[in-house]
Amino acid sequence: MPEPTATCYRARRRASLPAPVVTAVRRVLRPSARLTGLGTGLLVVTLTVIGGSLDNVFTGGPGTLFGVVFVIASVLGALWVRNADLAAAPVSAPIAFALALGVTGESGDGSFLGHVAGTVTGLATRTGWLYGGTALAAAIAAARKLSAGRVRNQP
């Protein structure tokens, strides 16, 4: 009978994603070309207006789809802005939200004042989406700023 040997524990192998998937995700999260502050603002405004327009077509007004697209656009803007313009990400988010509501929101009686009133009402009733997207953009920008400073200060 053979002598018992020391027990060898095998390290569990983590399931990993295929290399093309990992590469694609890295390109989305950290693209090689970064946006300027103006480019970030235009990206967030454009995506938010498109989301509001689609939501307006399908449901008759800005709703959940509008909010989700706004939050995603805010996050992408914060991820894709260059380090020198990090402050543009949390600043462009509420501007984009207000512009998109002005374009796609309720128009009241169809007059200019009715449209302004509809936009202000939309801003008041959708504050959760507005604060959520802006807070996420600010958190991502702050984390990027802190990590860039930490990398630069290391010997």
Side-chain angles (χ1 to χ4, degrees), residues 143-154:
R144 285 188 54 203
K145 182 69 173 178
L146 290 174
S147 69
R150 188 177 314 137
V151 169
R152 196 175 312 129
N153 292 333
Q154 286 182 352

Side-chain angles (χ1 to χ4, degrees), residues 42-91:
L42 290 174
L43 172 80
V44 176
V45 168
T46 303
L47 290 178
T48 306
V49 167
I50 289 171
S53 299
L54 288 174
D55 206 10
N56 201 8
V57 167
F58 293 131
T59 63
T64 304
L65 178 64
F66 172 73
V68 169
V69 170
F70 167 72
V71 170
I72 291 170
S74 298
V75 167
L76 289 177
L79 287 172
W80 292 353
V81 68
R82 63 186 184 169
N83 287 338
D85 294 329
L86 279 172
V91 170

